[in-house]
């Protein structure tokens, strides 16, 4: 996960934009930069070993899934 130090997103008013368009543009920018995801992850401190273990478990699951798919195709 790449950490972005600057979490600010500013929807600038373009011409005669109405507030609804500005809000939609803000939401798109926030989703694109994964701001909400980062905030949720940073709510509680997680030890680096927990993060590493979760990553390893996720990788093992993906490998098992891919192996199962490959075996079913043969």
């Amino acid at each position: 996960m790449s950490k972005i130090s600057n979490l600010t997103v500013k929807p600038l008013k373009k011409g005669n934009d109405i507030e609804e368009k500005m809000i939609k543009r803000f939401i798109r920018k926030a989703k694109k930069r994964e701001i909400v995801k980062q905030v949720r992850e940073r709510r509680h401190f997680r030890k680096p070993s927990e993060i590493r273990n979760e990553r390893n478990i996720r990788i093992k699951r993906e490998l098992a899934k891919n192996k199962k798919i490959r075996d079913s195709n043969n």
Side-chain angles (χ1 to χ4, degrees):
M1 176 180 92
S2 64
K3 292 188 179 181
I4 300 172
S5 61
N6 185 4
L7 295 178
T8 56
V9 175
K10 296 180 183 179
L12 301 175
K13 192 166 185 172
K14 296 180 181 178
N16 295 329
D17 273 353
I18 56 176
E19 287 78 18
E20 291 173 15
K21 283 189 177 183
M22 289 178 62
I23 292 170
K24 286 181 182 180
R25 193 176 324 123
F26 170 77
I27 292 170
R28 272 193 310 250
K29 285 184 178 185
K31 284 182 182 178
K32 184 177 181 181
R33 296 189 64 193
E34 298 181 343
I35 292 173
V36 175
K37 181 181 175 183
Q38 287 182 11
V39 169
R40 286 181 181 156
E41 287 176 354
R42 294 178 185 186
R43 271 190 190 152
H44 305 286
F45 177 77
R46 290 179 25 206
K47 295 186 338 185
S49 61
E50 289 177 359
I51 296 170
R52 193 170 44 247
N53 289 339
E54 288 176 7
R55 186 188 69 219
N56 290 338
I57 291 170
R58 188 176 60 246
I59 289 171
K60 285 180 184 178
R61 276 193 204 131
E62 290 175 6
L63 290 174
K65 183 178 176 183
N66 289 339
K67 183 180 178 187
K68 186 176 181 180
I69 290 172
R70 266 189 271 121
D71 290 344
S72 67
N73 288 339
N74 290 333

